[in-house]
Coordinates of all heavy atoms in Angstrom, one line a residue:
A211 N -14.9 45.3 -21.4 CA -16.1 44.5 -21.0 C -16.7 43.8 -22.2 O -16.7 44.3 -23.3 CB -17.1 45.5 -20.5
G212 N -17.0 42.5 -22.0 CA -17.7 41.8 -23.0 C -16.7 40.8 -23.7 O -17.1 39.9 -24.5
V213 N -15.5 41.1 -23.7 CA -14.5 40.3 -24.5 C -14.3 38.9 -23.8 O -14.2 37.9 -24.6 CB -13.1 41.0 -24.6 CG1 -12.1 40.2 -25.3 CG2 -13.3 42.4 -25.2
L214 N -14.3 38.9 -22.5 CA -14.2 37.6 -21.8 C -15.3 37.4 -20.9 O -15.5 38.4 -19.9 CB -12.9 37.5 -21.2 CG -12.6 36.2 -20.4 CD1 -12.7 34.9 -21.3 CD2 -11.1 36.2 -19.8
N215 N -16.2 36.4 -21.0 CA -17.4 36.2 -20.1 C -17.3 34.8 -19.5 O -16.7 34.0 -20.2 CB -18.7 36.4 -20.9 CG -18.7 37.7 -21.7 OD1 -19.1 38.7 -21.1 ND2 -18.2 37.7 -22.9
L216 N -17.9 34.6 -18.5 CA -17.8 33.4 -17.7 C -19.2 33.0 -17.3 O -19.9 33.7 -16.6 CB -16.8 33.4 -16.6 CG -16.5 32.1 -15.8 CD1 -15.1 32.1 -15.2 CD2 -17.5 31.9 -14.7
V217 N -19.7 31.8 -17.6 CA -21.0 31.3 -17.3 C -20.8 29.9 -16.6 O -19.9 29.1 -16.9 CB -22.0 31.2 -18.4 CG1 -22.2 32.5 -19.0 CG2 -21.5 30.3 -19.5
L218 N -21.8 29.6 -15.7 CA -21.7 28.3 -15.0 C -23.3 27.9 -14.8 O -24.0 28.8 -14.9 CB -21.1 28.4 -13.6 CG -19.6 28.6 -13.5 CD1 -19.2 29.3 -12.2 CD2 -18.9 27.4 -13.8
G219 N -23.4 26.6 -14.5 CA -24.8 26.3 -14.3 C -25.1 24.8 -14.8 O -24.4 23.9 -14.3
D220 N -26.1 24.7 -15.7 CA -26.4 23.4 -16.2 C -25.7 23.3 -17.5 O -26.1 24.0 -18.5 CB -28.0 23.4 -16.4 CG -28.4 22.2 -17.0 OD1 -27.6 21.4 -17.5 OD2 -29.7 22.0 -17.2
P221 N -24.6 22.5 -17.5 CA -23.8 22.4 -18.8 C -24.6 22.0 -20.0 O -24.3 22.6 -21.0 CB -22.8 21.3 -18.5 CG -23.0 20.8 -17.1 CD -24.2 21.5 -16.5
E222 N -25.5 21.1 -19.9 CA -26.3 20.7 -21.1 C -27.1 21.9 -21.6 O -27.1 22.2 -22.8 CB -27.2 19.5 -20.6 CG -28.3 19.1 -21.6 CD -27.5 18.5 -22.9 OE1 -26.5 17.9 -22.8 OE2 -28.0 18.9 -24.0
H223 N -27.8 22.6 -20.7 CA -28.6 23.7 -21.2 C -27.8 24.8 -21.7 O -28.0 25.4 -22.8 CB -29.5 24.2 -20.0 CG -30.4 25.3 -20.4 ND1 -31.5 25.1 -21.3 CD2 -30.4 26.6 -20.1 CE1 -32.2 26.2 -21.4 NE2 -31.6 27.2 -20.7
I224 N -26.7 25.2 -21.0 CA -25.8 26.3 -21.4 C -25.3 25.9 -22.9 O -25.4 26.8 -23.7 CB -24.7 26.4 -20.4 CG1 -25.2 26.9 -19.1 CG2 -23.6 27.4 -21.1 CD1 -24.1 27.1 -18.0
S225 N -24.8 24.7 -23.1 CA -24.2 24.4 -24.3 C -25.3 24.5 -25.5 O -25.0 24.9 -26.6 CB -23.7 23.0 -24.3 OG -22.8 22.8 -23.3
S226 N -26.5 24.0 -25.2 CA -27.4 24.0 -26.3 C -27.9 25.4 -26.7 O -28.0 25.7 -27.8 CB -28.6 23.0 -26.0 OG -29.2 23.5 -24.8
V227 N -28.0 26.3 -25.6 CA -28.4 27.7 -25.8 C -27.2 28.4 -26.6 O -27.5 29.1 -27.6 CB -28.8 28.4 -24.5 CG1 -29.0 29.9 -24.8 CG2 -30.0 27.9 -24.0
L228 N -26.0 28.3 -26.1 CA -25.0 29.0 -26.7 C -24.6 28.6 -28.1 O -24.4 29.3 -29.0 CB -23.7 29.0 -25.7 CG -23.9 29.7 -24.4 CD1 -22.5 29.8 -23.6 CD2 -24.5 31.1 -24.4
I229 N -24.6 27.3 -28.3 CA -24.1 26.8 -29.6 C -25.2 27.1 -30.6 O -24.8 27.4 -31.8 CB -23.9 25.2 -29.5 CG1 -22.7 25.0 -28.6 CG2 -23.6 24.7 -31.0 CD1 -22.3 23.5 -28.4
A230 N -26.5 27.1 -30.3 CA -27.5 27.4 -31.3 C -27.5 28.9 -31.6 O -28.0 29.2 -32.7 CB -28.9 27.0 -30.7
S231 N -27.0 29.7 -30.7 CA -27.2 31.2 -30.9 C -26.2 31.6 -32.1 O -25.1 31.3 -32.3 CB -26.7 31.9 -29.7 OG -26.6 33.3 -30.1
P232 N -26.9 32.4 -33.0 CA -26.1 33.0 -34.1 C -24.9 33.8 -33.8 O -23.9 34.0 -34.4 CB -27.1 33.8 -34.9 CG -28.4 33.7 -34.4 CD -28.2 32.9 -33.0
A233 N -24.8 34.3 -32.5 CA -23.8 35.2 -32.0 C -22.5 34.3 -31.8 O -21.4 34.8 -32.2 CB -24.1 35.8 -30.6
V234 N -22.6 33.1 -31.5 CA -21.4 32.2 -31.3 C -21.0 31.7 -32.6 O -21.7 31.1 -33.4 CB -21.8 31.1 -30.3 CG1 -20.6 30.0 -30.4 CG2 -21.8 31.6 -28.9
R235 N -19.7 31.8 -33.0 CA -19.3 31.4 -34.3 C -18.4 30.2 -34.2 O -18.0 29.6 -35.3 CB -18.5 32.5 -35.0 CG -19.3 33.8 -35.2 CD -20.4 33.5 -36.2 NE -21.4 34.6 -36.3 CZ -21.1 35.8 -37.0 NH1 -20.0 35.9 -37.7 NH2 -22.1 36.6 -37.0
M236 N -18.0 29.7 -33.1 CA -17.0 28.6 -33.1 C -17.1 28.0 -31.7 O -17.3 28.6 -30.7 CB -15.6 29.2 -33.3 CG -14.6 28.1 -33.4 SD -13.7 27.9 -31.9 CE -12.6 26.6 -32.2
V237 N -16.9 26.7 -31.6 CA -17.1 26.0 -30.3 C -15.8 25.2 -30.0 O -15.2 24.5 -30.9 CB -18.2 24.9 -30.3 CG1 -18.2 24.2 -29.1 CG2 -19.5 25.6 -30.7
T238 N -15.2 25.4 -28.8 CA -14.0 24.6 -28.5 C -14.2 23.9 -27.1 O -14.8 24.5 -26.2 CB -12.7 25.5 -28.4 OG1 -11.6 24.7 -28.0 CG2 -12.9 26.8 -27.6
F239 N -13.9 22.7 -27.0 CA -14.2 21.9 -25.9 C -13.0 20.9 -25.5 O -12.4 20.4 -26.4 CB -15.4 21.0 -26.2 CG -15.8 20.0 -25.1 CD1 -16.3 20.4 -24.0 CD2 -15.6 18.6 -25.4 CE1 -16.6 19.5 -22.9 CE2 -15.9 17.7 -24.4 CZ -16.4 18.2 -23.1
T240 N -12.8 20.8 -24.3 CA -11.8 19.8 -23.8 C -12.6 19.0 -22.8 O -13.2 19.6 -21.9 CB -10.5 20.4 -23.2 OG1 -9.8 21.0 -24.1 CG2 -9.7 19.2 -22.6
G241 N -12.6 17.6 -22.9 CA -13.3 16.8 -22.0 C -13.6 15.4 -22.5 O -12.8 15.0 -23.4
S242 N -14.7 14.8 -22.1 CA -14.8 13.4 -22.5 C -15.3 13.2 -24.0 O -15.9 14.2 -24.5 CB -15.9 12.7 -21.6 OG -17.2 13.3 -21.7
T243 N -15.0 12.2 -24.6 CA -15.4 11.9 -26.0 C -16.9 11.9 -26.1 O -17.4 12.5 -27.1 CB -14.9 10.6 -26.4 OG1 -13.4 10.6 -26.5 CG2 -15.3 10.2 -27.9
G244 N -17.6 11.4 -25.1 CA -19.1 11.4 -25.2 C -19.7 12.8 -25.3 O -20.5 13.1 -26.2
V245 N -19.2 13.7 -24.3 CA -19.7 15.1 -24.5 C -19.2 15.8 -25.7 O -20.0 16.5 -26.3 CB -19.3 15.8 -23.1 CG1 -19.7 17.3 -23.2 CG2 -19.9 15.2 -21.9
G246 N -18.0 15.5 -26.1 CA -17.4 16.1 -27.3 C -18.3 15.7 -28.6 O -18.6 16.6 -29.4
K247 N -18.7 14.6 -28.6 CA -19.5 14.1 -29.7 C -20.9 14.9 -29.7 O -21.3 15.3 -30.8 CB -19.8 12.6 -29.8 CG -18.6 11.9 -30.2 CD -19.0 10.3 -30.1 CE -17.9 9.5 -30.5 NZ -18.2 8.0 -30.4
H248 N -21.4 15.0 -28.6 CA -22.7 15.6 -28.5 C -22.6 17.1 -28.8 O -23.4 17.6 -29.6 CB -23.1 15.5 -26.9 CG -24.3 16.3 -26.7 ND1 -25.6 16.1 -27.2 CD2 -24.6 17.4 -25.8 CE1 -26.5 16.9 -26.8 NE2 -25.9 17.8 -25.9
L249 N -21.6 17.8 -28.4 CA -21.4 19.3 -28.7 C -21.1 19.4 -30.2 O -21.6 20.4 -30.9 CB -20.2 19.9 -27.9 CG -20.4 19.8 -26.4 CD1 -19.4 20.7 -25.7 CD2 -21.8 20.3 -25.9
T250 N -20.4 18.4 -30.8 CA -20.1 18.5 -32.2 C -21.3 18.4 -33.0 O -21.6 19.1 -34.0 CB -19.0 17.3 -32.7 OG1 -17.9 17.6 -31.9 CG2 -18.7 17.4 -34.1
Q251 N -22.3 17.5 -32.6 CA -23.6 17.4 -33.2 C -24.5 18.6 -33.1 O -25.0 19.1 -34.2 CB -24.4 16.2 -32.6 CG -23.9 14.8 -33.2 CD -24.5 13.7 -32.3 OE1 -25.1 13.8 -31.3 NE2 -24.1 12.5 -32.7
L252 N -24.4 19.3 -32.0 CA -25.1 20.5 -31.9 C -24.6 21.6 -32.8 O -25.2 22.3 -33.5 CB -25.0 21.0 -30.4 CG -25.7 20.3 -29.3 CD1 -25.5 21.0 -27.9 CD2 -27.2 20.2 -29.6
A253 N -23.2 21.6 -32.9 CA -22.6 22.6 -33.8 C -22.8 22.3 -35.2 O -23.0 23.2 -36.0 CB -21.0 22.6 -33.5
A254 N -22.9 21.0 -35.6 CA -23.1 20.6 -37.0 C -24.5 21.1 -37.5 O -24.6 21.4 -38.6 CB -23.0 19.1 -37.2
K255 N -25.4 21.1 -36.5 CA -26.8 21.5 -36.9 C -26.8 23.0 -37.4 O -27.7 23.3 -38.2 CB -27.7 21.4 -35.7 CG -28.2 20.0 -35.5 CD -29.4 20.0 -34.4 CE -29.6 18.6 -34.0 NZ -30.2 18.5 -32.6
V256 N -25.9 23.8 -36.9 CA -25.8 25.2 -37.3 C -24.5 25.5 -38.0 O -24.1 26.7 -38.2 CB -26.0 26.1 -36.1 CG1 -27.5 26.3 -35.7 CG2 -25.3 25.7 -34.9
M257 N -23.9 24.4 -38.5 CA -22.7 24.5 -39.4 C -21.6 25.4 -38.7 O -21.0 26.3 -39.3 CB -23.1 25.1 -40.7 CG -22.2 24.8 -41.9 SD -21.6 23.1 -42.0 CE -23.0 22.3 -42.7
K258 N -21.3 25.1 -37.5 CA -20.2 25.9 -36.8 C -19.0 25.0 -36.7 O -19.1 23.8 -36.3 CB -20.7 26.3 -35.4 CG -21.6 27.5 -35.6 CD -22.1 28.0 -34.2 CE -23.3 28.9 -34.6 NZ -24.0 29.3 -33.4
P259 N -17.8 25.5 -36.9 CA -16.6 24.8 -36.7 C -16.4 24.4 -35.2 O -16.8 25.2 -34.3 CB -15.4 25.6 -37.2 CG -16.0 27.0 -37.2 CD -17.5 26.9 -37.3
V260 N -15.8 23.3 -34.9 CA -15.4 22.9 -33.6 C -14.0 22.6 -33.5 O -13.3 22.2 -34.5 CB -16.3 21.6 -33.1 CG1 -17.7 21.9 -33.1 CG2 -15.9 20.4 -34.0
A261 N -13.4 22.7 -32.3 CA -12.1 22.1 -31.9 C -12.4 21.2 -30.7 O -13.0 21.7 -29.7 CB -11.1 23.2 -31.6
M262 N -12.0 20.0 -30.8 CA -12.3 19.0 -29.7 C -11.0 18.4 -29.2 O -10.4 17.7 -30.1 CB -13.2 18.0 -30.5 CG -14.6 18.5 -30.7 SD -15.6 18.7 -29.3 CE -16.7 20.0 -29.7
E263 N -10.7 18.5 -28.0 CA -9.6 17.8 -27.4 C -10.3 16.8 -26.4 O -10.7 17.2 -25.3 CB -8.8 18.8 -26.7 CG -7.4 18.3 -26.5 CD -7.2 17.5 -25.3 OE1 -7.0 18.0 -24.2 OE2 -7.3 16.2 -25.4
L264 N -10.3 15.5 -26.7 CA -11.2 14.6 -26.0 C -10.2 13.5 -25.3 O -9.1 13.7 -25.1 CB -12.2 14.0 -27.0 CG -13.0 15.0 -27.8 CD1 -13.9 14.3 -28.7 CD2 -13.8 15.9 -26.9
G265 N -10.9 12.4 -24.9 CA -10.3 11.4 -24.1 C -9.3 10.6 -24.9 O -9.3 10.6 -26.1
G266 N -8.5 9.9 -24.2 CA -7.5 9.0 -24.8 C -7.5 7.7 -23.9 O -8.3 7.6 -23.0
H267 N -6.6 6.9 -24.2 CA -6.2 5.7 -23.4 C -4.9 5.2 -23.8 O -4.7 4.3 -24.5 CB -7.3 4.5 -23.7 CG -7.4 3.5 -22.7 ND1 -6.4 3.2 -21.8 CD2 -8.4 2.7 -22.4 CE1 -6.8 2.2 -21.0 NE2 -8.0 1.9 -21.2
A268 N -3.8 6.1 -23.3 CA -2.5 6.0 -24.0 C -1.8 4.7 -23.8 O -1.6 4.3 -22.6 CB -1.7 7.2 -23.4
P269 N -1.4 4.1 -24.9 CA -0.6 2.9 -24.8 C 0.9 3.3 -24.5 O 1.4 4.3 -25.0 CB -0.7 2.3 -26.2 CG -0.9 3.5 -27.2 CD -1.7 4.5 -26.3
V270 N 1.5 2.4 -23.8 CA 3.0 2.6 -23.6 C 3.6 1.3 -24.0 O 3.4 0.2 -23.4 CB 3.3 2.8 -22.1 CG1 4.8 3.0 -21.9 CG2 2.5 3.9 -21.5
L271 N 4.4 1.3 -25.1 CA 5.1 0.1 -25.6 C 6.4 0.0 -25.0 O 7.4 1.0 -25.1 CB 5.2 0.2 -27.1 CG 4.0 -0.2 -28.0 CD1 2.8 0.4 -27.6 CD2 4.2 0.1 -29.4
V272 N 6.7 -1.0 -24.2 CA 8.0 -1.2 -23.7 C 8.7 -2.4 -24.3 O 8.2 -3.5 -24.3 CB 7.9 -1.4 -22.1 CG1 9.2 -1.7 -21.5 CG2 7.2 -0.3 -21.5
G273 N 9.8 -2.2 -24.9 CA 10.5 -3.2 -25.7 C 11.4 -4.1 -24.9 O 11.4 -4.0 -23.7
E274 N 12.1 -4.9 -25.6 CA 13.1 -5.8 -24.9 C 14.5 -5.1 -24.8 O 14.7 -4.1 -25.6 CB 13.3 -7.2 -25.5 CG 13.6 -7.2 -26.9 CD 13.8 -8.7 -27.3 OE1 13.9 -9.7 -26.5 OE2 13.8 -8.9 -28.5
N275 N 15.3 -5.6 -24.0 CA 16.7 -4.8 -23.9 C 16.7 -3.4 -23.5 O 17.4 -2.6 -24.0 CB 17.5 -5.1 -25.2 CG 17.6 -6.5 -25.5 OD1 17.8 -7.4 -24.6 ND2 17.5 -6.9 -26.8
V276 N 15.6 -3.1 -22.7 CA 15.6 -1.7 -22.2 C 15.7 -1.8 -20.6 O 15.7 -2.8 -20.1 CB 14.2 -1.0 -22.5 CG1 14.0 -0.8 -24.0 CG2 13.0 -1.8 -22.0
D277 N 15.9 -0.6 -20.0 CA 16.1 -0.6 -18.6 C 14.7 -0.5 -18.0 O 14.1 0.5 -17.7 CB 16.9 0.6 -18.2 CG 17.2 0.7 -16.6 OD1 16.5 0.0 -15.9 OD2 18.1 1.4 -16.3
A278 N 14.1 -1.8 -17.8 CA 12.8 -1.8 -17.4 C 12.4 -1.2 -16.1 O 11.4 -0.6 -15.8 CB 12.3 -3.3 -17.4
V279 N 13.4 -1.3 -15.2 CA 13.2 -0.7 -13.8 C 13.1 0.8 -13.9 O 12.3 1.5 -13.3 CB 14.4 -1.2 -12.9 CG1 14.3 -0.5 -11.6 CG2 14.3 -2.7 -12.7
A280 N 14.1 1.4 -14.6 CA 14.1 2.8 -14.7 C 12.8 3.4 -15.4 O 12.2 4.4 -14.9 CB 15.3 3.4 -15.6
I281 N 12.3 2.7 -16.4 CA 11.1 3.1 -17.1 C 9.9 2.9 -16.1 O 9.0 3.8 -16.0 CB 10.8 2.3 -18.4 CG1 12.0 2.4 -19.3 CG2 9.5 2.6 -19.0 CD1 12.1 1.4 -20.5
A282 N 9.9 1.9 -15.4 CA 8.8 1.6 -14.4 C 8.7 2.7 -13.3 O 7.7 3.2 -13.0 CB 9.0 0.4 -13.8
R283 N 10.0 3.2 -12.9 CA 10.0 4.3 -11.9 C 9.4 5.6 -12.4 O 8.6 6.2 -11.8 CB 11.4 4.5 -11.4 CG 11.8 3.4 -10.4 CD 13.1 3.8 -9.8 NE 13.6 2.6 -9.0 CZ 14.9 2.2 -9.1 NH1 15.8 2.8 -10.0 NH2 15.2 1.2 -8.4
M284 N 9.8 5.8 -13.7 CA 9.3 7.0 -14.4 C 7.7 7.0 -14.5 O 7.0 7.9 -14.3 CB 9.8 7.3 -15.8 CG 11.2 7.9 -15.8 SD 11.6 8.3 -17.5 CE 12.2 6.8 -18.2
A285 N 7.4 5.7 -14.9 CA 5.9 5.5 -15.2 C 5.1 5.7 -13.9 O 4.0 6.3 -14.1 CB 5.7 4.0 -15.7
A286 N 5.6 5.3 -12.8 CA 4.8 5.5 -11.5 C 4.5 7.0 -11.3 O 3.4 7.3 -10.9 CB 5.5 4.9 -10.4
I287 N 5.5 7.8 -11.6 CA 5.3 9.2 -11.3 C 4.3 9.8 -12.3 O 3.4 10.5 -11.9 CB 6.7 9.9 -11.4 CG1 7.5 9.5 -10.2 CG2 6.6 11.4 -11.3 CD1 9.0 9.8 -10.3
V288 N 4.6 9.4 -13.6 CA 3.6 10.1 -14.6 C 2.2 9.5 -14.6 O 1.3 10.3 -14.7 CB 4.3 9.9 -16.0 CG1 3.5 10.5 -17.1 CG2 5.7 10.5 -16.0
K289 N 2.0 8.2 -14.3 CA 0.7 7.7 -14.2 C -0.1 8.3 -13.2 O -1.3 8.4 -13.3 CB 0.9 6.1 -13.9 CG -0.4 5.4 -13.6 CD -1.3 5.2 -14.8 CE -2.6 5.9 -14.6 NZ -3.5 5.6 -15.8
T290 N 0.5 8.7 -12.1 CA -0.3 9.2 -10.9 C -0.4 10.7 -10.9 O -0.9 11.3 -10.0 CB 0.4 8.7 -9.6 OG1 1.7 9.0 -9.6 CG2 0.3 7.2 -9.4
R291 N 0.2 11.3 -11.8 CA 0.1 12.9 -11.9 C -1.3 13.2 -12.1 O -2.0 12.6 -13.0 CB 0.9 13.3 -13.1 CG 1.6 14.7 -12.9 CD 2.5 15.1 -14.1 NE 3.9 14.7 -13.9 CZ 4.8 14.6 -14.8 NH1 4.4 14.7 -16.1 NH2 6.0 14.3 -14.6
G292 N -1.8 14.1 -11.3 CA -3.3 14.5 -11.3 C -4.2 13.3 -11.0 O -5.2 13.2 -11.5
S293 N -3.5 12.3 -10.3 CA -4.3 11.1 -9.9 C -4.8 10.3 -11.1 O -5.8 9.8 -11.1 CB -5.4 11.4 -8.9 OG -4.9 11.9 -7.7
G294 N -4.0 10.4 -12.2 CA -4.2 9.8 -13.4 C -5.4 10.4 -14.2 O -5.8 9.9 -15.2
Q295 N -5.9 11.5 -13.8 CA -7.0 12.2 -14.5 C -6.4 13.2 -15.5 O -6.7 14.4 -15.4 CB -7.8 12.9 -13.5 CG -8.4 12.0 -12.4 CD -8.9 12.6 -11.1 OE1 -10.0 12.4 -10.8 NE2 -8.1 13.5 -10.5
I296 N -5.7 12.8 -16.4 CA -5.1 13.6 -17.5 C -5.3 12.9 -18.7 O -5.1 11.7 -18.8 CB -3.5 13.8 -17.2 CG1 -3.4 14.5 -15.9 CG2 -2.9 14.5 -18.4 CD1 -2.0 14.9 -15.5
C297 N -5.7 13.5 -19.8 CA -6.1 12.9 -21.0 C -4.9 12.2 -21.7 O -5.1 11.2 -22.4 CB -6.7 13.9 -22.1 SG -5.7 15.4 -22.3
T298 N -3.7 12.6 -21.4 CA -2.5 12.0 -22.0 C -1.9 11.0 -21.0 O -0.8 10.4 -21.3 CB -1.4 13.0 -22.3 OG1 -1.1 13.7 -21.2 CG2 -1.8 13.9 -23.5
A299 N -2.5 10.6 -19.9 CA -2.0 9.7 -18.9 C -1.7 8.4 -19.6 O -2.5 7.8 -20.2 CB -2.9 9.5 -17.7
P300 N -0.5 7.9 -19.3 CA -0.2 6.5 -19.9 C -1.1 5.5 -19.1 O -1.2 5.6 -17.9 CB 1.3 6.3 -19.4 CG 1.6 7.2 -18.3 CD 0.7 8.4 -18.5

Side-chain angles (χ1 to χ4, degrees):
V213 179
L214 179 57
N215 306 274
L216 184 151
V217 295
L218 291 159
D220 172 355
E222 174 60 40
H223 183 64
I224 292 174
S225 304
S226 57
V227 170
L228 297 190
I229 294 173
S231 165
V234 164
R235 297 294 171 83
M236 186 266 180
V237 179
T238 176
F239 172 72
T240 295
S242 65
T243 295
V245 175
K247 284 181 181 174
H248 173 60
L249 300 188
T250 302
Q251 280 166 359
L252 292 179
K255 280 190 193 152
V256 279
M257 202 47 80
K258 283 178 193 170
V260 297
M262 292 283 148
E263 202 278 275
L264 307 177
H267 200 334
V270 183
L271 275 50
V272 180
E274 61 177 341
N275 304 322
V276 294
D277 186 343
V279 173
I281 297 166
R283 286 193 188 128
M284 277 191 276
I287 293 167
V288 180
K289 170 72 242 182
T290 53
R291 214 173 265 159
S293 295
Q295 305 164 124
I296 297 182
C297 53
T298 55

